[in-house]
């Protein structure tokens, strides 16, 4: 597929799927972190010490952005399905992009 044939809706759908995959990869790691809390405070503290590393902190920022992207593009899908936004897709995508950036900057 040539770059000239890629439409905004395709990019939005691709981002929605990729952010969903990122969240699916993150979820078991999150459950692992919660499970260490069951082993006591020292086990949890040693696990959380990993989160103080710059690489992990940047990954945490990425997962927050992935959550914001997945949420807003999911709302876009719902809006397209339940409302007549097909003609206004560009405006809807712009609103979603603004929401993604806003939510990402808040966190």
């Amino acid at each position: 597929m040539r770059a000239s044939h890629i439409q905004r809706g395709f990019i939005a759908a691709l981002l929605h799927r990729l952010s969903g995959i990122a969240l699916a990869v993150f979820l078991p790691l999150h459950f692992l972190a919660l499970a260490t809390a069951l082993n006591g405070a020292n086990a949890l503290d040693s696990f959380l010490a990993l989160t103080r590393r710059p690489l992990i902190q940047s990954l945490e920022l990425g997962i927050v952005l992935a959550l914001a992207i997945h949420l807003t593009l999911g709302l876009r899908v719902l809006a397209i399905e339940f409302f007549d936004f097909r003609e206004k897709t560009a405006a809807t995508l712009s609103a979603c992009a603004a929401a993604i950036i806003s939510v990402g900057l808040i966190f």
Side-chain angles (χ1 to χ4, degrees), residues 33 44-58 60:
L44 181 62
D45 286 340
S46 65
F47 186 85
L48 292 178
L50 296 173
T51 63
R52 293 183 189 95
R53 296 182 180 180
L55 175 66
I56 302 299
Q57 289 177 341
S58 63
E60 287 177 345

Side-chain angles (χ1 to χ4, degrees), residues 4-94:
S4 62
H5 292 326
I6 296 177
Q7 297 177 354
R8 293 179 192 163
F10 174 78
I11 294 171
L14 181 66
L15 285 174
H16 190 241
R17 286 175 178 84
L18 291 176
S19 63
I21 291 170
L23 292 170
V25 168
F26 166 76
L27 200 57
L29 298 174
H30 181 69
F31 289 149
L32 177 65
L34 293 176
T36 60
L38 298 174
N39 296 329
N42 290 335
L44 181 62
D45 286 340
S46 65
F47 186 85
L48 292 178
L50 296 173
T51 63
R52 293 183 189 95
R53 296 182 180 180
L55 175 66
I56 302 299
Q57 289 177 341
S58 63
L59 291 174
E60 287 177 345
L61 175 64
I63 204 67
V64 168
L65 289 175
L67 181 62
I69 289 169
H70 196 71
L71 174 76
T72 54
L73 291 177
L75 292 174
R76 173 193 166 268
V77 169
L78 288 174
I80 288 172
E81 287 182 6
F82 291 114
F83 303 112
D84 191 24
F85 280 166
R86 284 177 179 75
E87 299 167 358
K88 301 176 186 177
T89 302
T92 304
L93 289 174
S94 299

